[in-house]
Amino acid sequence: RLLPWSEKSMSRNLKLKMRIKKTILHQNIQGELSMCLICWLFFLGSLICLNLKVNALIPSSPQDQTRRAVRSINDAIRKADGSNCRLYVDYLIPLPPETSEADIDPWPGGLAQQYTYASDILKEILQSVVDDPAGPCQTQVLSEPDCCGFFLQESKTAASQDVAALLFPGADQLKQIADVDKMVGSKRTLLIFNRQFKRPADFGFGKRKESEKLIFDRFSWGFAFQELACRGEDVKLTFEHPNWNSCVMMEDGETELPLFDPQPTRPIYDELGTKINEVLPEPLWMRMLGEAEEKGLKFQRGSDDQSKSDEE
């Protein structure tokens, strides 16, 4: 038998335990809610970052460029519906890892040096474009002096799903282009990857008509990532089926200033210059001069920052 004071003590202890349990439960609920809120904010932030990357006009990395190229080429092939699909691809080959800012020419070996890098990229693109690829990509050098190669990725599904490509073809390879085009046939896709010609005149007077009939009248764009200088600005052009996009890369190296709305035709140089004058009235040298007057020269900024840190 418990004494009265013992019963009261047990009652108080029981109430205290209940309060402790409620406090712990309340804290657990708050912790779970906080964790859910953190996870939701992280997920929302990831979506925002992903959306920014998707909406970027130019590829953010070589891997992103390859993904975009594969997607655009597939869209172009689907539009052709398996009938005489002939596509240009302009791929911006990344600089070799050993390149430094002091290098005047990052490719001193020219196309011969680029060939190894480009062939690996082309193989990866072909294996991603072809559904159910049948083994590794087949390759053959068509012209060693001109660094022109032929690539074929076969499909297990059907021969019509095969995709062939010519790497670095130039004006001297018109006959090889005709032979490859005939071998590939009208039901399979043929890519011209990083062509070394731009217009029929590049083939000379005697072969101009032949080049127009074989190439320029039949090939359309599958993917492109191009760089050029216009009015001193760093201009980027991209083609992702079915439209061209254009922008100026600002001096910070990250900000993209769009020029034209997406359009099916590639903007010409004069159009780019006129548009740049409209959206950027001050040329680059004036903007850089204004920055120097405001912040000082770059080498002075570094010394000033160092002296301030030393004083602190």
Side-chain angles (χ1 to χ4, degrees), residues 9 37 47 81 112 134 182 190 232 242:
S9 177
L37 180 60
L47 286 179
D81 197 21
K182 183 178 180 180
L190 176 61

Side-chain angles (χ1 to χ4, degrees), residues 198-217:
K198 300 298 181 185
R199 57 193 68 83
D202 295 339
F203 290 85
F205 180 77
K207 298 181 180 179
R208 179 169 182 169
K209 293 292 185 182
E210 184 180 354
S211 67
E212 289 179 351
K213 183 178 179 181
L214 176 64
I215 301 172
F216 295 97
D217 293 344

